[in-house]
Amino acid sequence: MAKLNKKNVESLSVGGKRVLVRCDFNVPLKNGEITNDNRIVAALPTIKKLIENGGKVILCSHLGKPKGVDDAFTLAPVAKRLSQLLGKEVKFAKDAQVAGEIAKKAISEMNNGDVILLENTRFRPEESKNGEAFSKDLASIADVYVNDAFGSAHRAHCSTAGVTDFINGETAVGYLMNKEIEFLGNAVESPERPFVAILGGAKVADKLNVISNLLEKCDTLIIGGGMAYTFLKAQGMEVGKSLVDDEKLDYCKEMLNKAEKLGKKLLLPVDTAIAEAFPNPIDAEIPAEYVATDVIPANTLGLDIGPETCKLFADAVKSAKTVVWNGPMGVFENPTLAKGTIAVAQALSEVDATTVIGGGDSAAAVVQLGFADKMSHISTGGGASLEYLEGKVLPGIDVIQNA
């Protein structure tokens, strides 16, 4: 995958034009109230830019996984929050067809700089099937299309991809999407070296292609989290009751051989936090002791990397110029078992390098642990960032015009 250079919102001429913007407003709701508005805040720079340039701004997004029209998943609370954040009214087009007659009427009455939010795109069942009728409906209400929803860029849906087949005007990425391409895509494709990749999380199966792709790109690959125990077992170690994906042992051996053949460093934990059972509830106080990874007792399981491993991994990133991290080092939701993840976050916060956190649990961990402002970039998409790290082409980015 070559370095990507997509047309972005900076270069658009939108004065007097209807601009359809795909955002990621998939926010958590409790009793109809938004409990975390980070995704809405992240979309503001693109929206403000289009307002300033005199566009008629039409926003769309999915929320949750409704089966057809369902008021529990309405985007009305998002319109209300957006109005507060922008300091101007964001009209909500409550239209079960999303881009039906109600929405069209509201759009026809817009002035330059006005903002409208459409109803949940998934109220149309064909959204996720990339159905032509809905793609055409969306294209019919706009002159220009901007995609700023990286979290949905790996899905070929009507609002992320299909609409571009029928829109006559320009297509571009928003500021948020541009930043993801710049950091996540280009950090992997043309990194400043040494390039260190850190992978954690529970299952090897989730990261098969990521491991293989990153081994070809990076100088050092660090593997922690639950997936490390499958690698350790593949090396012939006893790992007790630790999480192991027995079907992937041969794959792990293959990757260990691949690293050797390519002359890449592949670092695994040398010690681990063990306990007799997984904490229940997850944040329950738990007595954990540390042992070397080659002497894990049969009646225990590994739940975090140990202090020697923390040091080993921190030393490995010290001289790095690019670091990409996806997946925690242990059960970070538990204070006793968060030490490994904290140590890696701490190490990344101190290096003079481009540090990219690849969405999902590692992003949540970095934010929760208070290291967010020390990282170059924290990805907004879990599944999308993983597919990007695999080297896959993401449909929501692919369909956008090149700069």
Side-chain angles (χ1 to χ4, degrees):
M1 193 166 68
K3 192 164 177 173
L4 287 174
N5 192 13
K6 293 291 179 181
K7 181 174 280 202
N8 74 45
V9 71
E10 279 287 321
S11 63
L12 287 180
S13 132
V14 298
K17 291 178 185 170
R18 301 166 302 166
V19 188
L20 180 66
V21 188
R22 176 52 157 100
C23 299
D24 183 3
F25 294 147
N26 188 24
V27 292
L29 291 169
K30 197 173 181 185
N31 305 324
E33 293 293 319
I34 296 165
T35 57
N36 181 331
D37 67 359
N38 284 353
R39 286 179 171 174
I40 301 173
V41 171
L44 294 177
T46 295
I47 297 167
K48 285 177 176 169
K49 175 73 176 167
L50 294 167
I51 293 169
E52 274 166 34
N53 289 6
K56 296 172 179 178
V57 185
I58 304 153
L59 308 174
C60 70
S61 173
H62 78 282
L63 173 63
K65 293 177 179 172
K67 306 269 181 275
V69 179
D70 181 345
D71 272 348
F73 295 96
T74 179
L75 281 171
V78 174
K80 187 177 155 192
R81 184 69 188 122
L82 266 170
S83 300
Q84 292 164 346
L85 291 166
L86 286 169
K88 66 177 288 163
E89 188 195 1
V90 173
K91 284 203 174 106
F92 181 59
K94 192 168 173 54
D95 186 333
Q97 288 299 301
V98 187
E101 292 313 311
I102 296 168
K104 284 177 179 164
K105 184 176 184 303
I107 291 164
S108 71
E109 294 164 1
M110 289 179 89
N111 295 314
N112 295 357
D114 282 357
V115 185
I116 276 180
L117 174 63
L118 303 180
E119 186 52 283
N120 191 336
T121 55
R122 287 190 183 168
F123 281 8
R124 289 281 292 264
E126 66 267 51
E127 156 79 323
S128 56
K129 300 181 185 81
N130 202 8
E132 196 171 290
F134 185 34
S135 294
K136 281 180 170 169
D137 284 351
L138 288 169
S140 74
I141 58 170
D143 308 304
V144 176
Y145 173 77
V146 174
N147 194 344
D148 208 20
F150 180 71
S152 302
H154 58 313
R155 305 191 189 284
H157 288 181
C158 297
S159 64
T160 58
V163 60
T164 63
D165 290 339
F166 304 102
I167 208 153
N168 294 321
E170 294 176 289
T171 59
V173 294
Y175 288 125
L176 198 59
M177 187 82 101
N178 201 53
K179 199 175 173 210
E180 296 278 7
I181 292 170
E182 214 172 279
F183 279 99
L184 202 56
N186 298 335
V188 175
E189 291 312 317
S190 46
E192 197 183 333
R193 298 189 181 276
F195 170 26
V196 178
I198 306 170
L199 292 177
K203 294 185 188 133
V204 175
D206 296 345
K207 305 222 165 95
L208 290 177
N209 298 331
V210 181
I211 296 165
S212 187
N213 186 46
L214 286 177
L215 263 182
E216 287 166 22
K217 316 273 186 192
C218 69
D219 302 298
T220 301
L221 178 61
I222 293 173
I223 292 181
M227 61 196 278
Y229 302 102
T230 307
F231 275 88
L232 294 168
K233 189 172 178 180
Q235 288 183 324
M237 293 188 199
E238 291 297 328
V239 294
K241 298 189 296 185
S242 303
L243 182 72
V244 168
D245 192 343
D246 283 313
E247 286 176 14
K248 297 291 178 281
L249 289 169
D250 286 343
Y251 172 83
C252 291
K253 285 177 191 163
E254 221 178 281
M255 289 302 113
L256 290 161
N257 290 335
K258 181 173 178 170
E260 204 174 323
K261 225 179 265 174
L262 294 171
K264 305 294 175 83
K265 268 191 199 163
L266 196 155
L267 298 180
L268 291 164
V270 292
D271 61 345
T272 182
I274 55 162
E276 286 184 13
F278 197 85
N280 184 17
I282 203 161
D283 57 356
E285 213 170 294
I286 185 168
E289 58 175 303
Y290 296 97
V291 298
T293 45
D294 56 358
V295 291
I296 297 173
N299 65 331
T300 66
L301 70 164
L303 295 167
D304 189 21
I305 57 173
E308 291 302 315
T309 306
C310 291
K311 192 174 174 316
L312 175 74
F313 290 1
D315 284 347
V317 300
K318 266 188 187 140
S319 59
K321 282 294 164 201
T322 305
V323 186
V324 173
W325 176 22
N326 185 291
M329 297 292 104
V331 187
F332 78 96
E333 301 91 341
N334 185 293
T336 311
L337 305 170
K339 289 175 183 158
T341 303
I342 292 171
V344 169
Q346 180 83 47
L348 261 61
S349 74
E350 291 166 2
V351 295
D352 178 20
T354 298
T355 49
V356 180
I357 313 302
D361 283 342
S362 36
V366 165
V367 171
Q368 273 174 35
L369 301 169
F371 290 102
D373 61 337
K374 302 280 197 309
M375 305 300 163
S376 309
H377 179 62
I378 297 175
S379 179
T380 54
S385 64
L386 264 185
E387 291 198 16
Y388 220 170
L389 293 176
E390 279 179 38
K392 279 188 180 173
V393 172
L394 306 190
I397 296 174
D398 194 41
V399 296
I400 301 295
Q401 289 169 278
N402 290 323

